Amino acid sequence: MTYRRILILTMLAFVALLPEAIAQVKLGKTETGNASYYSARFHGRKTSFGEVHKSSELLAAHRSYPLNTMLEVTNLENDEKVIVRVNDRGPFSKHRVIDLSKEAARLLGILAKGVANVSIRVVGMEGMVLLSPNEEIDPKSGKVISMRSKP
């Protein structure tokens, strides 16, 4: 083997070991755990994605999902659902799986408690949402609506 081929193979092996370089997640993947929401002091600050955090948008922070992944978050106590976009890293508490924007937390009904047990399901990538045929998103609230099929 020539020096050039060895160098290329070494570089390819190194890139394959970097999870963020080819980070992908399977649609439909789920996890459960506790969710909290961003403090008001983070409004206007930059996120890991380089965006300005806006408390009024449906955003989230997750430790491992690729940035721009679309997640359906369900509050397991009241069955409220909302779709958020991952645009930050966190939460930094090991007892939580996701941090939500204040608007997402409001729609899920967790503002009063601060923390809630949630289920997270991957529903899209790169800002696009892929729902099942019997689901749609309410454009006003951002909530997922399950449509019942007629017999």
Side-chain angles (χ1 to χ4, degrees):
M1 283 185 138
T2 65
Y3 175 74
R4 176 180 268 169
R5 285 186 184 172
I6 292 172
L7 181 62
I8 291 171
L9 288 173
T10 304
M11 288 174 55
L12 288 173
F14 180 71
V15 169
L17 294 175
L18 296 174
E20 291 292 323
I22 53 171
Q24 291 184 1
V25 65
K26 195 174 193 175
L27 282 174
K29 180 180 177 182
T30 61
E31 69 178 304
T32 58
N34 287 326
S36 58
Y37 63 93
Y38 282 89
S39 165
R41 68 182 177 160
F42 290 104
H43 181 75
R45 292 191 184 178
K46 283 202 174 190
T47 67
S48 297
F49 203 46
E51 298 176 344
V52 175
H53 176 72
K54 295 178 184 167
S55 299
S56 59
E57 293 184 1
L58 300 175
L59 303 171
H62 194 277
R63 285 184 200 92
S64 60
Y65 288 143
L67 297 172
N68 243 0
T69 299
M70 303 300 289
L71 303 173
E72 176 191 70
V73 182
T74 305
N75 183 340
L76 296 176
E77 294 175 13
N78 62 12
D79 207 35
E80 292 289 338
K81 297 179 183 184
V82 70
I83 292 181
V84 296
R85 182 174 59 88
V86 176
N87 77 330
D88 203 1
R89 289 292 171 230
F92 297 107
S93 168
K94 64 181 178 179
H95 303 291
R96 300 198 180 110
V97 294
I98 193 167
D99 271 341
L100 302 166
S101 65
K102 194 166 187 174
E103 179 64 11
R106 185 187 69 78
L107 292 171
L108 290 172
I110 66 172
L111 285 180
K113 290 178 79 175
V115 177
N117 193 22
V118 298
S119 171
I120 301 168
R121 178 174 64 124
V122 177
V123 294
M125 301 294 285
E126 297 303 321
M128 295 181 291
V129 177
L130 302 169
L131 298 172
S132 66
N134 66 338
E135 295 177 323
E136 62 181 53
I137 300 172
D138 179 9
K140 290 183 181 178
S141 68
K143 293 183 180 183
V144 175
I145 303 169
S146 293
M147 307 300 289
R148 294 190 178 144
S149 58
K150 295 180 180 177

